[in-house]
Amino acid sequence: MNRARHAGSPEIRSFAGDCDAVIADLTQPGRSGLVESQVNRIKTIERKMYGRANLDLLRIRVLTTL
């Protein structure tokens, strides 16, 4: 990991930073799975409604599909 952080290629340096984030996420006791699933649900609703409705209708749809 140390060699990857100091590599000449920006892609390899970026990969080294991503690996640290993954390791930190796996070793931390708290999980963000519930939050991520809600964000995914909201994004799915937004994609379905893109160009069809305004923010008020989106808000109603998100709150009623809990």
Side-chain angles (χ1 to χ4, degrees), residues 3-4 6 12-15 17 31-32 34-37 42-43 45 50 53 56 59 61 64:
R3 287 190 331 196
H6 300 293
I12 294 176
R13 287 194 309 263
S14 175
F15 175 75
R31 298 284 180 212
S32 61
L34 294 175
V35 174
E36 289 181 17
S37 66
I42 291 171
K43 286 183 177 183
I45 293 170
Y50 182 78
D56 295 331
R59 182 179 295 123
R61 179 112 187 237
T64 58

Side-chain angles (χ1 to χ4, degrees), residues 25-54:
D25 185 47
L26 293 174
T27 58
Q28 296 298 319
R31 298 284 180 212
S32 61
L34 294 175
V35 174
E36 289 181 17
S37 66
Q38 291 298 320
V39 169
N40 188 28
R41 182 181 67 83
I42 291 171
K43 286 183 177 183
T44 302
I45 293 170
E46 286 178 342
R47 275 187 234 113
K48 287 180 183 177
M49 297 178 62
Y50 182 78
R52 298 182 186 158
N54 61 11

